[in-house]
Amino acid sequence: MAVKLGYKNVYRDPYGYPEWQASGMPVASAPAGLAPTGDSPQAPGQLYGWAMIWTLLGIFVGGMALNLTPCVYPLIPITVSYFGGQATKDGEGQGKLVAHGLCYMMGLAITNSMLGVVASLTGGLMGAVLQNPVVLIVVAAVLVFFASSLFGLWEMRLPSGLTQAAAKSYTGYFGSLFMGLTLGVVAAPCIGPFVLGLLTWVASMGSPWIGFLVFFTLSLGLGLPLFLLALFSGQLKKLPRSGGWMIWVRKLMGWVLVGMAVHFIRPLLPGHWGTLILALVVLTAGLHLGWIDTSQANFRAFPWLKGSAGVVCLVLATFLVGSWALKGSGVSWKPYSEETLKHAQSLKKPVIIDFYATWCTPCREIEDVTFHDASVVKKAESDFVMIKVDVTKGGNPVHEQLLEQYAVKGVPTIVFLDSGGTERQDLRLVDYLPPDQFLAHMAAIKQDNR
């Protein structure tokens, strides 16, 4: 997600994403790719392409796992019995059962998707607020606090009247729709902390479309197992009994929230400490879920499930540490100066100026991925002069002058100057770009020197 550097007026950009008054505070801006055009807007932040697919797949699996929490699991036989009672015994019974199931999932999707859209509509404001280190620390602390609920240190309870009203049963298709609409209320003590953590993350993205898609996917994951169980309720013999394994699933969700807390404070951590701390969290989660936790279940596969979860976490932690350890040296940057620009012109080399801030997630991503790619590093060293302007802390008069000179609206912004010192506006970048596409930009500016 590109980030504005401070505007005095509130307006809505051509993409439809709100900009918020920040008065010197960076705020979230519209999605961007290469040069912004009305024909090819991209999703904000990192949620596009394969990142989008894998994120939604993880959310879908998380939604399915929520069915195994102590608050949702007891509802499964009730839901299955309800759907079974709605179907008639004639030839249309199965079709009506499918219709009731779809109404149920629609109700669940409506509730959760509205939450996602409402949260994302605060995205511009959240984008501004979440650049404040104090706010990031508070958000991380809140996520850890909710995680402690899932670890069993305290219980989230709703007013009994609200729970009873949501648990009422109605007949017909409206009844199925109502059950889906109110599932979140009944199951809130277990899924509430996870959903609240997800809401905070969605709000930081600042896109109603992303908010809708994330929570719609979560609803599909949460509702699909119930729908399938209801569909085959006649052939269903029995479900695994409630037990300690559901407490284990709650703890799994708790570790997910702890990981989200680390994600929020990563911009505050120097160097690669964010990756190392995340690896430590994953490692601790694996040891806890796989072997330290004493939860038991009455089915034989549970010890295997615990061990598998532990091994997966250990492998992931090893991968995180390995990716950090094996990462080669990155691009060698020079601080901005007029002498550096003149020297580049004397060498007839193009210049790349990277306007960067440590609190900017796409800035860190392009630094860690693109500017550590071996091909990009090699080409930068041989054919370019690389300049970095760090605007993490405001107030530097030289940086302020550069922001005005190059009309930098936000970070990340990467400016390409040819060997004569003239910018190629069509190559300007204002968001993350993978190494192969960045190499194409480098080749394009290099072509001008021939």
Side-chain angles (χ1 to χ4, degrees):
M1 181 171 59
V3 182
K4 293 287 184 184
L5 292 174
Y7 283 84
K8 295 182 179 179
N9 297 317
V10 179
Y11 69 100
R12 185 169 294 272
D13 74 352
Y15 298 100
Y17 289 84
E19 307 288 346
W20 299 86
Q21 181 174 352
S23 185
M25 175 71 70
V27 302
S29 79
L34 303 181
T37 66
D39 297 329
S40 57
Q42 288 182 317
Q46 304 175 42
L47 275 187
Y48 52 85
W50 283 105
M52 169 76 81
I53 294 174
W54 285 112
T55 299
L56 294 179
L57 181 61
I59 291 170
F60 179 79
V61 173
M64 296 183 66
L66 288 175
N67 284 284
L68 304 179
T69 56
C71 302
V72 180
Y73 190 78
L75 297 176
I76 293 179
I78 299 174
T79 304
V80 171
S81 300
Y82 172 82
F83 286 136
Q86 296 297 320
T88 61
K89 296 182 179 180
D90 55 28
E92 296 181 353
Q94 193 72 4
K96 288 187 176 182
L97 193 58
V98 172
H100 280 285
L102 292 176
C103 287
Y104 175 80
M105 292 185 66
M106 184 186 302
L108 183 61
I110 289 174
T111 301
N112 284 331
S113 300
M114 286 180 61
L115 288 175
V117 171
V118 170
S120 62
L121 287 175
T122 67
L125 182 58
M126 287 291 291
V129 173
L130 288 177
Q131 311 310 332
N132 189 316
V134 175
V135 175
L136 288 173
I137 293 173
V138 170
V139 169
V142 170
L143 291 176
V144 172
F145 175 70
F146 282 128
S148 67
S149 170
L150 296 176
F151 290 138
L153 299 181
W154 60 280
E155 289 292 331
M156 176 185 289
R157 297 185 182 275
L158 294 175
S160 57
L162 180 61
T163 304
Q164 291 173 4
K168 286 183 179 180
S169 179
Y170 296 89
T171 60
Y173 294 115
F174 173 77
S176 300
L177 181 68
F178 183 81
M179 285 187 67
L181 287 169
T182 56
L183 175 65
V185 177
V186 178
C190 288
I191 72 174
F194 180 81
V195 171
L196 288 172
L198 198 59
L199 282 171
T200 304
W201 175 69
V202 165
S204 70
M205 299 297 293
S207 167
W209 164 246
I210 295 296
F212 172 84
L213 193 58
V214 163
F215 275 87
F216 185 80
T217 304
L218 180 72
S219 302
L220 290 181
L222 184 57
L224 186 60
L226 294 172
F227 172 68
L228 294 177
L229 287 173
L231 199 60
F232 299 101
S233 56
Q235 292 77 33
L236 194 62
K237 300 297 183 182
K238 65 177 182 177
L239 293 169
R241 293 181 181 178
S242 302
W245 62 273
M246 291 190 299
I247 305 298
W248 181 85
V249 173
R250 280 190 59 172
K251 294 175 181 178
L252 171 64
M253 296 300 173
W255 281 113
V256 172
L257 287 188
V258 174
M260 292 177 67
V262 175
H263 167 76
F264 274 100
I265 64 171
R266 283 185 70 181
L268 307 180
L269 303 175
H272 298 286
W273 278 102
T275 301
L276 295 178
I277 293 178
L278 184 60
L280 179 61
V281 168
V282 174
L283 175 63
T284 306
L287 294 174
H288 177 225
L289 296 172
W291 298 281
I292 297 176
D293 183 67
T294 58
S295 300
Q296 299 295 329
N298 56 359
F299 56 94
R300 296 180 180 179
F302 184 62
W304 178 86
L305 178 63
K306 289 180 62 178
S308 298
V311 170
V312 168
C313 289
L314 294 182
V315 171
L316 181 57
T318 303
F319 172 78
L320 290 172
V321 174
S323 64
W324 165 75
L326 296 177
K327 184 179 293 185
S329 58
V331 169
S332 298
W333 297 99
K334 300 178 182 297
Y336 179 88
S337 69
E338 292 295 331
E339 290 74 17
T340 301
L341 291 182
K342 292 179 181 178
H343 182 63
Q345 293 180 27
S346 66
L347 297 175
K348 296 185 177 180
K349 285 187 175 183
V351 177
I352 297 177
I353 305 178
D354 177 23
F355 290 88
Y356 168 94
T358 57
W359 40 255
C360 165
T361 300
C363 298
R364 293 167 66 94
E365 186 184 16
I366 198 170
E367 175 65 34
D368 293 342
V369 179
T370 302
F371 290 143
H372 275 78
D373 179 81
S375 299
V376 173
V377 172
K378 181 178 179 180
K379 197 166 186 64
E381 290 179 350
S382 61
D383 299 336
F384 290 83
V385 173
M386 309 294 289
I387 297 176
K388 185 179 289 292
V389 180
D390 191 343
V391 295
T392 301
K393 297 180 179 179
N396 186 316
V398 175
H399 292 173
E400 296 293 336
Q401 180 182 353
L402 288 174
L403 294 174
E404 182 177 355
Q405 176 182 342
Y406 289 99
V408 174
K409 306 298 183 183
V411 292
T413 294
I414 300 177
V415 175
F416 292 78
L417 305 181
D418 61 22
S419 57
T422 303
E423 182 187 356
R424 278 280 303 270
Q425 287 280 352
D426 59 313
L427 296 179
R428 177 178 288 214
L429 301 177
V430 290
D431 204 349
Y432 168 76
L433 201 68
D436 56 339
Q437 297 181 40
F438 193 87
L439 284 169
H441 278 64
M442 299 177 83
I445 192 71
K446 187 66 178 175
Q447 186 75 21
D448 291 349
N449 295 330
R450 296 181 180 177

